[in-house]
Amino acid sequence: MFHSIAACATVDDDDLNPPRASSRTPAQTGQPARQTAGIKTQPLQAAAKQPEFSGYGSVVDLQPLLALRQQFLAAQAVRDSAQARYQEADANLSRTRHLHQQDIVSTRRLQEQQAQWRNDKANLSTSSYQQQTIVAASRLQWGEVLTDWFTQPNSRQAEQFLNHRSQLLQISLPANTRLQPEIRTIAVDDHGRRDQAITATLISPAPQVDPITQGERYFFKTEARRLSFGARVSAWIASGAPGTGGVIIPESAVVWHLGQAFVYIKAENGEFNRRLLPDIATDNGGYFAAEGFKTGEEIVTTGAQTLLSQELKNLIPSEDDD
C-alpha cells in the first residue's frame, strides 16, 4: 500500500470544509514538505546483482615466505661467488693451456689448473642445484607466482607485503566448485559481514587443496584493511551465472515501521510516496532491489524518517473532530 506526501506548498481551497486532521499532510496545510523535513533526493542508479557462493580462508603469516626469501638470496650470494671463481678458473686454464703449448709452463702446472677448474665448476653446479631445490620446494607450497615474487632481489610485489601495504590471504572454495576464469576479485571480511566486506585480488591458485573439504584453494591479496595474521575470513565469490538487474537503494533512504522496511519515492506530481522494500539484500553502501523500482526514480536520502513521522501523525484523529 502506498502513502504519499506532497513536495511543495498548496493552498487550501475549501476553508469552509477543511479536511480531517488524519488526512492532512504538511503540504496540504500550506507548509512546503521539502523545506520542513530538509528533504534531499537522488535518482536511483541501475545495478546488477551477481549470484555468489561462500568460501572461507585465513590471513597468511608471511614468516615462511620471509624465510624462503632469505634462504634463496643467501644461496644466490653463494652461487654468485662460485660463478666468479669459476670464471676466474676458466680464464686461468685458458691462459695456462696457451702457455703450455708454448712450453712456458709445465704439464704439472696445467694439471693443477685443470683440477682447480673442475673444483670450481662443481661448486658452481652445487650452488645452482641448491637454488633450484629451494625454488622447487617453494612452488609445491606457494605456487609459481608467489615463489617468483619472493625470490627476486628487487620484487615490487614482495616489497608490498614486506612493508605491510598488502596482506596475503588463502581462500578455500567449497568442494566441487572452482573459480571462474574471468573472476579476478572477491569480497572478504573477518567478521562474516557481507555489507562491510573489502575487495581481495587474485594472485594465483594454491598448489594444495583444502585438507578438510578437498576444495580448491587460491591466494589473494588485499590492501584495504589491516587484518591480523591467522585471522579467519569469510569470502563471497561470484559464481559466473548471469546477474540480476535492479537498483541500489541507499542505506540512508530506508526507514522501518512495524518490522518492515520502506523508502520514499518522489512522484511526478511532487508527492512523496512510501514504498515497501520487501527484499533486504545488502550491497555496497545500501541495499539491492531487483524489482519494484525503476532507474532514475527520485528516492529520498535525507528526511525519510521525518516524512514517516509526519505521515503517522496525520493518521491520528484530531481532538477537535467529532
Side-chain angles (χ1 to χ4, degrees):
M1 180 175 185
F2 295 102
H3 301 266
S4 64
I5 295 181
C8 57
T10 60
V11 178
D12 272 342
D13 293 326
D14 49 351
D15 292 334
L16 298 178
N17 298 294
R20 293 179 58 85
S22 61
S23 63
R24 295 165 68 90
T25 68
Q28 290 172 328
T29 58
Q31 300 176 6
R34 178 180 293 274
Q35 181 178 356
T36 302
I39 297 171
K40 295 181 180 179
T41 65
Q42 72 179 44
L44 289 171
Q45 302 295 321
K49 188 73 171 180
Q50 187 73 32
E52 297 177 334
F53 62 90
S54 300
Y56 72 94
S58 62
V59 183
V60 178
D61 187 351
L62 295 179
Q63 187 59 41
L65 282 169
L66 296 178
L68 161 69
R69 182 174 179 81
Q70 182 178 9
Q71 186 181 14
F72 180 85
L73 294 180
Q76 178 71 52
V78 171
R79 185 184 182 282
D80 291 343
S81 178
Q83 178 73 33
R85 289 195 300 270
Y86 170 74
Q87 290 175 343
E88 181 181 5
D90 190 60
N92 289 338
L93 178 59
S94 180
R95 286 194 299 269
T96 302
R97 281 174 176 167
H98 179 69
L99 295 174
H100 180 265
Q101 291 172 355
Q102 299 179 4
D103 293 329
I104 298 177
V105 299
S106 65
T107 301
R108 180 179 179 82
R109 175 59 182 162
L110 175 60
Q111 291 173 343
E112 290 175 351
Q113 194 61 55
Q114 288 174 332
Q116 183 64 48
W117 178 86
R118 285 192 293 268
N119 182 66
D120 289 339
K121 183 179 180 181
N123 288 337
L124 176 60
S125 298
T126 299
S127 62
S128 297
Y129 293 151
Q130 288 177 341
Q131 277 193 299
Q132 294 172 12
T133 301
I134 293 171
V135 169
S138 175
R139 286 175 175 167
L140 291 176
Q141 182 177 1
W142 301 106
E144 186 171 349
V145 175
L146 283 174
T147 297
D148 289 346
W149 286 0
F150 279 85
T151 54
Q152 294 176 9
N154 299 308
S155 171
R156 179 179 58 85
Q157 293 88 348
E159 288 297 327
Q160 291 179 342
F161 291 105
L162 298 176
N163 295 330
H164 305 291
R165 295 197 303 270
S166 298
Q167 290 186 287
L168 181 63
L169 308 177
Q170 186 177 63
I171 302 298
S172 297
L173 272 56
N176 302 318
T177 61
R178 63 186 311 162
L179 203 65
Q180 297 299 314
E182 68 275 9
I183 303 300
R184 310 305 301 172
T185 60
I186 62 173
V188 297
D189 184 71
D190 55 340
H191 291 93
R193 303 165 301 191
R194 180 63 181 90
D195 59 324
Q196 299 186 29
I198 57 177
T199 299
T201 304
L202 176 67
I203 296 176
S204 68
Q208 303 172 8
V209 299
D210 187 282
I212 299 176
T213 66
Q214 298 299 300
E216 294 186 359
R217 280 176 162 178
Y218 294 83
F219 290 116
F220 289 83
K221 72 172 182 176
T222 181
E223 303 172 5
R225 187 187 302 164
R226 290 293 301 274
L227 304 172
S228 301
F229 291 142
R232 302 286 288 179
V233 296
S234 299
W236 295 269
I237 304 104
S239 65
T244 302
V247 297
I248 293 296
I249 304 295
E251 185 176 1
S252 62
V254 178
V255 292
W256 293 85
H257 180 58
L258 299 178
Q260 293 182 307
F262 296 91
V263 298
Y264 280 90
I265 300 295
K266 181 182 177 182
E268 293 182 358
N269 61 3
E271 294 183 342
F272 292 103
N273 299 322
R274 178 156 56 96
R275 192 174 298 179
L276 178 66
L277 186 63
D279 184 19
I280 300 295
T282 59
D283 205 294
N284 291 334
Y287 305 95
F288 177 81
E291 55 186 19
F293 299 88
K294 296 179 180 180
T295 302
E297 285 188 305
E298 291 285 333
I299 187 170
V300 175
T301 56
T302 301
Q305 187 62 52
T306 302
L307 289 176
L308 178 63
S309 298
Q310 291 174 343
E311 180 183 335
L312 297 179
K313 181 178 179 181
N314 290 335
L315 295 177
I316 301 176
S318 172
E319 295 181 355
D320 295 335
D321 293 333
D322 295 329

